[in-house]
Amino acid sequence: MIQKLFTKTLTTCGIFSILFGNILAQDLNDKSNIFFDEGKLTFQSKDKAFKLKLDNRIYTDLSFYLPTESVDGLSSKPNKDIEEDDGVFRFNNGVSIRRARFAIKATLYEKWFAELDVDFAYNEVELKDMYLGYKFNDHISIKAGHFKEPMSMERLTSSRYLTFNERPMPVEMFAGGRRMGTALTAWGNHWWLSGGVFGQQIDILQKEKNRGSDGYGFTGRVASAPINNDDFTLHFGGYASYRTPDANGTENRIVEFRTFPESRTDRRRFVRAEIANVNHYTTYGIEAAVKYKKLLAYGEYMFTSLSRFKEENNNKLQLKNAEFIGWYAAASYMILGEQKRYVPEDAEFAPMYQKRKGGCLEIAGRVSHVNLNDFHEISNPITGGAAYAYALNLNWYPVPNILLGLNYTFMDNDKYADDKGHITKDNQPLSKAMPNGLDFNILQMRLMLSF
């Protein structure tokens, strides 16, 4: 299956490249039309009406997980994908390919733009971005397809510009992601606004029969940078999303919130909850950032309210809304080189200028928190777990296309952070067997190459 998908992907990209290449062929003898744009190989026609840009990335991680106390005696629900899984809990130390991305971005007839982005990490084929857009002018555009919902500065920032190995837990859990939809975006030198309607994520569920209709949602983000110059930038933003759950073959729809512990080599999600009988849920977030010369500090606060019910005597009884929160605060100092610069058209901090030999050296720290426990309805509580993550990063960018990073993260989990009950001890839930929670340290090294 993977081989077939891989072949189809390459075939599609190959046909696209050939067709586009025929348009540019007459201009490619002029080397000025082949250049690197922020580290991405770009082909452009002389009249600049057509442009083809590659955005490929490879991330390799080496990770070690060190629990603060012995995990002997812990059990983990057997993995159905492994023929011989004895159910004994163990961390997966070692090397993983975090991302293996192949992407093509195109500009057509000046006004039209498109992107195809596919990931082959973990020996799986996953469609990331696939959309077609139109620019009404240099400051207003619309696009439709599969892409990120406009929420959270950290979510919208490309992975190649992230300071830490992973996005913070609340962003991974509550800030949407890529979905089928359409969105309108407008921006100026000091403001940014985007909103759209979104449906289902592209996944294997769409191949299932009789699963029911997609859920739908409305998402919008607004941001302002009242001050933005080479030395000082001030950014404020906010976003909101309303969503109904996707169908999964049952009458009463289910929502699952989950997040990795800011590392992906071990594929276990400790903070995780599956919630049944959901009407709809809303997420709100605020974000702020300040950059002063070599220092960049930023953070977000997120709040999710979920409407649900229970069935009793064939009647639906409305329950009190469940409420979840998450936040993070981060700071980065560029020891060598320039700090990341603010990009008004995206309302985010992206590439830094590299004006010196030896590249850029960065040190950064972050604290993040997520709480997936709710006891408003005491007769029907939600115990998905809560966690704090404390991270330190040292990043070296020898050239714009390469990152060598060192990361240390301490995960402080509460007693309910048990991978939706999959982790137990002596046939007891962790909330009884380990009332202080399963805490651990993570040591990581990263090599990133983009081209």
Side-chain angles (χ1 to χ4, degrees), residues 380-399:
N380 202 328
I382 298 172
T383 54
Y388 285 89
Y390 306 89
L392 291 173
N393 257 61
L394 182 65
N395 300 321
W396 178 42
Y397 308 85
V399 294

Side-chain angles (χ1 to χ4, degrees), residues 130-363:
M130 185 185 70
Y131 60 78
L132 175 65
Y134 181 79
K135 292 182 179 180
F136 297 98
N137 54 49
D138 289 340
H139 295 278
I140 302 177
S141 66
I142 189 171
K143 63 182 179 181
H146 192 252
F147 55 92
K148 293 178 181 178
E149 294 181 81
M151 57 189 308
S152 172
M153 180 176 67
E154 186 80 348
R155 170 65 77 182
L156 294 175
T157 299
S158 171
S159 61
R160 71 191 297 252
Y161 301 131
L162 294 177
T163 300
F164 298 85
N165 279 39
E166 299 293 339
R167 293 180 174 89
M169 294 183 294
V171 172
E172 288 290 340
M173 181 174 292
F174 300 126
R178 291 175 171 89
R179 291 181 177 270
M180 294 296 297
T182 183
L184 181 70
T185 301
W187 65 277
N189 291 332
H190 300 285
W191 60 273
W192 190 91
L193 176 66
S194 182
V197 56
F198 295 87
Q200 170 77 287
Q201 292 179 331
I202 293 181
D203 55 25
I204 199 169
L205 284 178
Q206 293 194 339
K207 296 181 180 180
E208 295 181 354
K209 299 178 181 179
N210 201 42
R211 66 180 177 86
S213 303
D214 295 346
Y216 62 89
F218 304 94
T219 303
R221 176 181 179 242
V222 60
S224 174
I227 303 174
N228 181 28
N229 55 54
D230 291 341
D231 289 335
F232 185 65
T233 299
L234 190 62
H235 165 97
F236 299 102
Y239 46 89
S241 179
Y242 170 92
R243 170 156 294 282
T244 62
D246 298 320
N248 64 349
T250 62
E251 184 68 23
N252 299 321
R253 302 191 176 191
I254 295 172
V255 168
E256 184 176 34
F257 291 112
R258 58 186 186 174
T259 179
F260 288 100
E262 300 189 1
S263 174
R264 296 287 185 95
T265 302
D266 187 285
R267 304 291 292 167
R268 190 179 285 108
R269 296 175 173 95
F270 290 85
V271 181
R272 181 180 178 188
E274 188 176 276
I275 307 165
N277 302 332
V278 176
N279 298 310
H280 57 80
Y281 59 97
T282 54
T283 298
Y284 307 94
I286 56 174
E287 57 189 40
V290 58
K291 186 192 81 168
Y292 180 69
K293 295 184 178 180
K294 290 177 175 288
L295 177 66
L296 172 62
Y298 57 100
E300 298 183 46
Y301 178 87
M302 309 178 72
F303 171 82
T304 293
S305 178
L306 184 143
S307 172
R308 61 187 179 129
F309 61 92
K310 69 177 181 179
E311 292 186 338
E312 190 172 289
N313 299 324
N314 294 323
N315 294 318
K316 291 184 178 181
L317 302 179
Q318 190 69 25
L319 300 176
K320 294 180 181 179
N321 283 6
E323 297 178 353
F324 311 117
I325 65 165
W327 57 264
Y328 75 90
S332 159
Y333 184 80
M334 202 65 66
I335 300 172
L336 300 174
E338 303 290 330
Q339 184 55 262
K340 295 180 179 69
R341 53 191 171 89
Y342 190 74
V343 182
E345 56 263 41
D346 296 317
E348 64 188 41
F349 291 86
M352 70 282 289
Y353 291 115
Q354 294 202 19
K355 302 178 181 179
R356 61 183 299 281
K357 292 183 178 180
C360 298
L361 183 64
E362 174 185 35
I363 187 169

